[in-house]
Amino acid sequence: MTNLKWAARLALPLLLAAPLARADLEVKLSGVDSEERANIEARLTILNYANEDGDDEAEIRRLHRRAEADIRSALEAYGYYGPKVKARLTGKGRNWVAAYQVEPGEPTLLGDIVVEVNGDGREFPALAQAVADSGLRSGRRLRHAAYEGTKAALARAAFDNGFLDARFTAHALRIDPEARRADVELRLETGPRYYFGEVDVQQEGLDPEFVRRYVPIRPGDPFEPVKLLQAQFALSDLGYFGSVEVQPHRERAVDHRVPITITTTPRPPRRYDVSAGYGTDTGARLGLGAEFRRLTQSGHRLRTDLRVSEIKNSIGAGYRIPLGTQAGENLGFATAYTDAKLPGGFSRTYDLAMTLSRTPGEWQRQLYLKHRYEQSLTPDTGLDSTRLLLPGMTLSRGQLDDAIHARLGWSLFTDVHGGLEGALSDVTFLQGRALLRGVLPLGPRGRLLLRSEFGATQVDDFSALPPSERFYAGGDQSVRGYSYQSLGPTDAEGDVLGGEYLSTFSVEAEFRIWGNWGAAVFADAGGVGDDASPELSRGVGAGVRYRAPVGTVQVDLAHPLDGDRRGVRPHIGIRVGL
């Protein structure tokens, strides 16, 4: 019992003193601005401690004693080697203020500058450009970043252009703080330039010449490391290989020619897909697919698909013959049958198509010629059949930071096609469509999604246009809050007929909240009409998001704002990329 009393007497003062050992901290910095201030704030440990809600009094005092050294170190990077710092820590109880008045003083200036390139790369343009872009000039203020950046740029330019033996014979930044002078000496010896040697592609099942045409490396070309990465991407994008490894053998170089070995592992020659799901645009759905890779040693491929849903059923097959020297360039032949329910009717289409896909520059271009036979039932024409021969072209381009879950980027898809009556078509028309999507980051865990779509049709007799060539709006990928293809001109019975012009817009803010789960709010607008400015119907809503490997699963509740529609409509779907 005596021991317990003594323990209590010792513990009581400590417990009473504990609140006094904690403090609130405010840090004030004056006398500097711009880059110098930002660098001090980044290095000032007492400021970082305050931003993290640090409140231990002993630690505050320790960091305050260290603050002057932090400030001096931060300013040296900008050439200030003699700053004056007035530091003061005031306060009592739980409130403390650490104030630092900084006078940077006179900056250190660059004196003698020697940046020299010797060896075979002495006159090489990329190395000369690295020197020109350095910012190292006599009389300018010393910036350590300019020195380190010049050094790194020279080394990178040498390596990127095949000077694999490049090294600095001298690299020095000599500073005299009292004289406020800094001299620079950078001497790079490039050595000889290297070239690509023989390229050995290890693969099976395909014609070696067919595979080699996609490799952007030719024996005798200057050795450029970026081409090793390009070769890896080029072969991976073909879809025939599960893995691609590109290995240069510098140790085996003869006459400065580096042999290259490309090792591949094949994908299975066949792939089968089974999918099932539910979407408000399609209802319950089931998909079966099969892809036959490497039907020939020249990489011919066959793809078959069956899609069954409550709204649309389709079956089709496509045969592709690779062309050119880039993945995705091919000559294709396809056939498909589609049976779709429409407002007040149905559409059954039988398609035969030939496509030529190319990649001129950064654009993906597809020229196509499609023959379609369509049987349909529409409120304005009744039961009808139409034959069409449709020449057309699509252009697409995009830049995304992530193909599945993009936070920054954009994509554009355009299509133009038409038919000519008497030339294997029952109607003359011309139609264009454009879909533009964008995504921007919203803070560290959010993104802003933007979408706009436009379509226009030139036709003398709209009633002669089959349903597959009419525009409709409404649904998961159009205007949420309205059912699939429910927006557009209607007949006297209220059945939607489709229209000649289409305009839709969407803006959505999406935020990840916990793990892969998130939430979104959105506003959509869109409409279909017989003139270029159709009346727009609007919808707003919110939803839940789940970030899955295949894309973002969306479950939305949307409220229509126009017409006689009321209540809230659910929408379920998956978004990939944008």
Side-chain angles (χ1 to χ4, degrees):
M1 181 64 68
T2 303
N3 291 339
L4 290 176
K5 288 181 178 179
W6 276 106
R9 290 175 181 176
L10 290 172
L12 183 59
L14 293 175
L15 292 173
L16 293 174
L20 299 178
R22 304 183 67 82
D24 291 333
L25 172 64
E26 179 184 1
V27 178
K28 296 181 178 181
L29 181 65
S30 59
V32 287
D33 54 19
S34 191
E35 297 175 309
E36 291 83 353
R37 182 185 182 92
N39 202 40
I40 291 175
E41 291 175 345
R43 296 196 183 195
L44 194 57
T45 50
I46 192 171
L47 177 59
N48 296 329
Y49 187 71
N51 290 337
E52 295 170 0
D53 297 325
D55 55 9
D56 181 79
E57 182 176 335
E59 182 68 2
I60 290 173
R61 292 185 180 278
R62 186 186 72 82
L63 294 178
H64 175 67
R65 291 192 295 270
R66 174 180 167 177
E68 183 173 349
D70 289 342
I71 293 171
R72 288 181 177 278
S73 175
L75 287 175
E76 284 177 0
Y78 291 90
Y80 295 102
Y81 278 82
K84 295 180 180 179
V85 180
K86 294 181 180 179
R88 185 176 58 180
L89 181 65
T90 59
K92 67 178 183 177
R94 294 178 55 83
N95 298 307
W96 291 85
V97 177
Y100 305 98
Q101 173 69 38
V102 181
E103 295 181 19
E106 294 295 323
T108 298
L109 303 180
L110 291 172
D112 294 335
I113 308 295
V114 177
V115 181
E116 187 175 277
V117 178
N118 297 306
D120 291 357
R122 183 173 56 254
E123 305 295 333
F124 203 77
L127 289 163
Q129 190 64 46
V131 175
D133 294 341
S134 70
L136 296 175
R137 301 289 186 275
S138 221
R140 288 187 179 180
R141 175 155 55 102
L142 166 64
R143 292 174 180 264
H144 285 234
Y147 168 78
E148 296 294 343
T150 300
K151 183 180 174 183
L154 283 169
R156 184 171 57 250
F159 182 76
D160 288 348
N161 289 279
F163 297 99
L164 306 185
D165 294 332
R167 63 186 181 87
F168 286 98
T169 57
H171 54 94
L173 177 61
R174 301 182 181 91
I175 301 169
D176 185 344
E178 294 184 1
R180 300 199 309 276
R181 175 188 174 97
D183 297 328
V184 173
E185 183 180 12
L186 286 172
R187 300 181 191 272
L188 179 70
E189 173 60 48
T190 67
R193 195 178 194 190
Y194 282 74
Y195 298 83
F196 287 116
E198 292 301 316
V199 181
D200 178 23
V201 182
Q202 298 178 358
Q203 59 86 32
E204 57 184 49
L206 294 170
D207 183 351
E209 291 301 320
F210 166 72
V211 176
R212 200 168 287 121
R213 80 187 195 202
Y214 292 96
V215 178
I217 298 173
R218 298 291 178 267
D221 285 352
F223 187 97
E224 298 177 17
V226 68
K227 287 190 176 181
L228 302 177
L229 193 60
Q230 291 173 353
Q232 184 178 30
F233 288 155
L235 293 182
S236 297
D237 290 345
L238 290 176
Y240 303 116
F241 308 112
S243 66
V244 178
E245 181 181 355
V246 182
Q247 181 66 47
H249 301 284
R250 181 179 172 185
E251 73 282 358
R252 288 161 37 190
V254 177
D255 295 330
H256 304 111
R257 294 178 179 267
V258 181
I260 307 296
T261 299
I262 301 178
T263 306
T264 68
T265 57
R267 284 185 172 180
R270 292 172 296 278
R271 173 184 172 182
Y272 301 97
D273 300 316
V274 178
S275 62
Y278 179 86
T280 44
D281 284 358
T282 62
R285 58 177 181 253
L286 173 68
L288 300 174
E291 183 180 24
F292 301 88
R293 308 173 177 127
R294 303 194 301 271
L295 286 177
T296 71
Q297 288 193 331
S298 297
H300 293 202
R301 312 166 76 118
L302 174 66
R303 173 81 194 186
T304 62
D305 286 288
L306 172 66
R307 298 287 182 263
V308 179
S309 71
E310 297 178 41
I311 302 297
K312 181 186 293 185
N313 304 314
S314 65
I315 184 170
Y319 191 90
R320 292 185 177 181
I321 302 172
L323 300 174
T325 59
Q326 297 186 63
E329 295 195 331
N330 57 71
L331 177 65
F333 302 91
T335 181
Y337 166 73
T338 303
D339 183 352
K341 293 181 180 180
L342 297 173
F346 65 83
S347 170
R348 300 189 184 107
T349 61
Y350 305 80
D351 290 330
L352 288 173
M354 179 173 65
T355 61
L356 177 63
S357 301
R358 292 291 194 182
T359 308
E362 297 182 347
W363 291 88
Q364 293 178 321
R365 181 187 67 203
Q366 185 179 88
L367 302 175
Y368 62 86
L369 183 64
K370 182 183 300 183
H371 181 269
R372 170 173 293 168
Y373 175 68
E374 183 168 355
Q375 295 177 321
S376 61
L377 175 64
T378 60
D380 58 336
T381 62
L383 187 62
D384 196 10
S385 64
T386 307
R387 295 184 185 274
L388 297 172
L389 183 66
L390 303 172
M393 179 179 70
T394 68
L395 282 175
S396 59
R397 182 178 173 184
Q399 293 180 350
L400 300 177
D401 61 350
D402 189 301
I404 305 298
H405 301 286
R407 295 191 71 241
L408 179 64
W410 60 275
S411 69
L412 173 66
F413 172 84
T414 63
D415 173 84
V416 177
H417 67 272
L420 180 64
E421 185 177 3
L424 299 180
S425 289
D426 295 334
V427 58
T428 297
F429 75 101
L430 179 65
Q431 186 176 101
R433 176 173 166 256
L435 174 61
L436 177 62
R437 298 176 184 266
V439 58
L440 296 169
L442 279 180
R445 301 179 65 84
R447 61 178 184 168
L448 181 68
L449 296 150
L450 306 169
R451 171 176 53 82
S452 59
E453 183 177 12
F454 303 95
T457 307
Q458 178 62 48
V459 62
D460 292 334
D461 181 8
F462 178 76
S463 64
L465 203 62
S468 63
E469 298 300 329
R470 300 182 181 187
F471 290 118
Y472 300 86
D476 299 342
Q477 305 300 316
S478 180
V479 186
R480 286 164 287 188
Y482 303 84
S483 60
Y484 180 60
Q485 294 189 343
S486 64
L487 297 177
T490 59
D491 62 6
E493 304 298 324
D495 293 321
V496 179
L497 303 176
E500 300 176 48
Y501 296 91
L502 166 72
S503 295
T504 67
F505 309 89
S506 177
V507 57
E508 177 175 320
E510 177 184 296
F511 298 92
R512 291 176 63 192
I513 298 175
W514 178 73
N516 289 324
W517 290 93
V521 292
F522 58 84
D524 300 335
V528 171
D530 297 328
D531 58 61
S533 300
E535 182 179 353
L536 301 182
S537 297
R538 300 164 298 163
V540 296
V544 176
R545 300 290 181 265
Y546 179 75
R547 184 170 176 165
V550 295
T552 302
V553 180
Q554 306 180 166
V555 180
D556 292 327
L557 294 177
H559 175 61
L561 299 179
D562 297 293
D564 57 0
R565 296 171 174 84
R566 296 291 184 269
V568 174
R569 181 175 179 82
H571 292 270
I572 301 173
I574 295 180
R575 174 184 280 128
V576 179
L578 295 180

